[in-house]
Each structure stands twice: as structure tokens, then as C-alpha cells.
Amino acid sequence: MSSEKSTEKGHGNLTIYIFGAIVIAFILALAAPLIAMKLEIGGELFLRILKMLVVPLVVTSVMSGILGLGDVRKLGKPGGTAVAYYLVTTVLAVVVGLMVVNITRPGVGFDTGEFHAHSIQKSPKERMLEALSKITGMTEEEVGGVFTDLPSGEAEKPNLMAIVKNLALMLVSENLFTSAAEMDLLPLIVFSILFAAILTTMQKQAGVLIDVIHQANEALMAVILVVMKIAPIGIFCLVAARFGEAQAEGKFIEELAQIGKFFGTVLVGLFIHLLVTLPAILWFMTKRNPYKFLLQMGQALLTAFSTASSTATLPVTMKCATERAGISKRSVEFVTPLGATINMDGTALYEATAAIFIAQVAMIDLSLGQQGIVAVTATLAAIGAAGIPEAGLFTMIIVLNAVNLPVEYIGLILSVDWLLDRFRTAVNVFGDSVGAAIVETTLPPEEEVQA
Ligand code: ASP
């Protein structure tokens, strides 16, 4: 009991250290941006260590989660609950975003200055190439080489079937090793579920393999514990370097002021989802104290803010969810990896809000039906977005195309996307952990599994 208390206290201290590290990093970035930028290497090292753990962790934890159910046929209810939870919360996030942006109307009267005059002289394809090249940092020729089938005429008609088809194809891959190398987690998760499902039917014959999977998973969780000891330093470097860069460029505050109303609108939406919608669902479904839960997940949320990647944050999310929030490993092991890949409430909210903002700027009136299409495509686009920095910016093209909005207007929000990305990633991660707590309530009792 006393050791439990001291672990709890240790975790609490770590959250405070990480928070302190972020505050000091901000101050350093403001005061001495050039020095802060030099810390980039420290941040990159920490990020790579986290990412290095992701593939083995996802494979062993999803397998170990399924094996923990004893029999894959028991996956029906928790699996169904997880998918229903992902969908319902993502749609709710989109609805919150749409409501807020329709109330604040940040794009009405927005001064596009040179941007508009410059962009309307170009063809849709040229404008899209330009926007993509700004986002990726690649030249327009390089972008053209990668995205070979960019439409050359006006934006294509919405094609929901094609989007759904692409999402279905994302579930599997031709080569698992390529997926692992590219950190393409969905096929790895699907394979792990299948493989572990078969193992549960083999029991004694596969006894050694099952033990190996459980032990590898335990060992990886222990590695995460060690890695978390350097988290405050890693996070300090990550935040200092990125904010230092923004400060050194000198234009950031100016750009933020220009697009401040949009920025504030997205933040209000994200905070409503983080502090009202998700807590209400958590309380209703589990009777847990949602704000205590939020604090327990603090390290994961701060790591998400610092890395802007729910995938890179996954090791921390799993650690906090099991050790701090006390959610059963069986639930965390299969809900959070899948959640980090397909459950992105913050991203969906952002994409819907940004699409309406762009429509307002371009003075295009969207009917209720069109806003409905925005809601559906933003949900699908968020499911398809990878858990990596600024992935939402790419999948937003799907949303804009669906209602014929000018894709090149993405250029207007580029300057603040990296910062909003951090907030939406934190919301994405919180959504995953709430999902794990809810799915836990649907799992068969542990004794039944052992019997
Ligand atoms: N960075 C986000 C994540 O990793 C995805 C996005 O919205 O760009 O969850």
C-alpha cells in the first residue's frame, strides 16, 4: 500500500516536472529563441525513442489484450463498444466544432490581403500544388510527382464511396514489414488481432508463444517507465525548439493576431470537447470522476501537446491509463492503439471548423445539407488521418473537395496549424483514454477468462 502511494506520488511529481519543463521552455523560447532552437536535437532524440517503442508495443500489446480475453469470441461486445464510442465521440466533436464556428463566424470579414488576389489567378491544380508544397516543404514539382492524380479541373464531386473504399483498404497491407517500417499501424493491429485470435484457439500448443508475447509486452512497459524519467528533458527540448523557431521567424505573433478569431474558435471547440463532452460521457458510462481522470492522464496530454503525435504519445498514454488511472491492461491494450490510429476527435473538430472558416472567407454560403457533408467527411477524414504531426491538414483536402471549397485556402491557416495541432492531439489522446475506461466496463470478468 505504501509503495503504491509512493508510486502515485512519483507519477504526480513527474506530471508537475513535465508541466514545469513546458513553462520554462516557453520562457526560454521567448527570451532567447536562437538558443532554444539549438535544443532541437534533444527533442528529436526523445521523439525517436518514443517512436522506436511504438511498433513493438502495438503488436505485443494488442496481442496481449486479445489473449487476455481468453477467447476472441468475447471480443464482440468490447469491440463493438469501442467502435461505437469512436464514432459517436468523433461526430459529437464535429457537431461542437460546427456550432462554435457558426456562432463566432471567424471568416466573415476576414481580410485575405494579397493571398486572395494572388491565388485566384492560378488554376485549381496550380493552387493545390502550391498549398501542398507549402505544407510539405517540398517543391511543387516534387509534390506533383507524389500526388500524380491531382484533379486538373475544378474540384471533383464528393464521392463518399471512394473515401470509404480507401479507408477499408487502409485496414490491410500487402506487406506487414513495410507497414511496420512506415509506422502504418492499422494493418499491424488487424494482423495482431487475427494472430492472437488464432492463438486463443490453440491454448496449450501455443503456450510458449503466448508467454513470450505477454513477457515482451511487460518488458516494453518497463522500458517506457525508464524512458519517462527523461520525459521532462525531452519535452523541454521539443517545446523550446519549436516555439523558439516560431519566435525567431518573428512573424508568429503578427500572424496569430491576424487569424486569432479562427484560432480562438478552434480552441473553444476543443476545450468544450475536452472539458464537457468527454467528461460527461465518461461520468455517465463509468461513474468515474472525469476531472480526476483528466489529471491522471496529465503526462500523456502534455506529451501529446509537445510531440503533436498521438502515435508517438501512445507509450505514455498506455502507461498513464494503466498505472495512474487504473484502467485494466486488457482494455488499454486494445483500445488505445486502435484509438491512436482511428479515433481523432480533435482532428475531426478542427477539420470541420476550418472548412466552415474557409467557406466564410471565400464568401461561399454552405446550406445545412452541405454542412452535413462537411460533418460526415470530417469524421471520415479524421479516421483516415495518421497520428503524426499535421496529418489533419492533408486529410482536410477531402473535406474541402466534398463541398467544392477552394483547397488553396488551406494556406491561410498554415501559420497556426502547428500550434493548433498540439491542442487537437491532446484532445485525441484524451478521447482514446476515455474510450479505454468505457470499454473496460464491457469486458468479461477476469476470473471467467482464467477459468
Ligand atoms: N497530430 C494529430 C495526431 O497525431 C493528427 C492531426 O490532427 O494532424 O493525433
Side-chain angles (χ1 to χ4, degrees), residues 54 116 202 242 261 297 416 422 425 440:
V54 169
H116 189 65
M202 295 171 64
R242 188 58 189 91
K261 202 166 169 199
M297 292 306 300
V416 287
R422 289 157 192 266
T425 307
E440 180 184 35

Side-chain angles (χ1 to χ4, degrees), residues 405-427:
L405 290 173
V407 174
E408 70 282 0
Y409 274 49
I410 286 183
L412 286 176
I413 54 176
L414 277 186
S415 57
V416 287
D417 182 72
W418 67 273
L419 187 51
L420 287 173
D421 189 15
R422 289 157 192 266
F423 289 101
R424 65 183 190 251
T425 307
V427 173

Side-chain angles (χ1 to χ4, degrees), residues 307-312 340 343-344 346-348 350-351 385-393 417 421-422 424-426 428-429:
T307 59
S309 164
S310 21
T311 306
N343 180 43
M344 304 211 177
T347 304
Y350 174 70
E351 296 196 4
I388 55 173
E390 305 200 51
L393 207 53
D417 182 72
D421 189 15
R422 289 157 192 266
R424 65 183 190 251
T425 307
N428 291 346
V429 164

Side-chain angles (χ1 to χ4, degrees), residues 78 286 288 325-332 335 434-444:
T286 70
R288 275 174 187 265
I327 306 172
S328 78
K329 273 188 77 210
R330 294 182 303 158
S331 178
V332 171
V335 178
V434 171
I438 290 174
V439 170
E440 180 184 35
T441 60
T442 65
L443 290 176

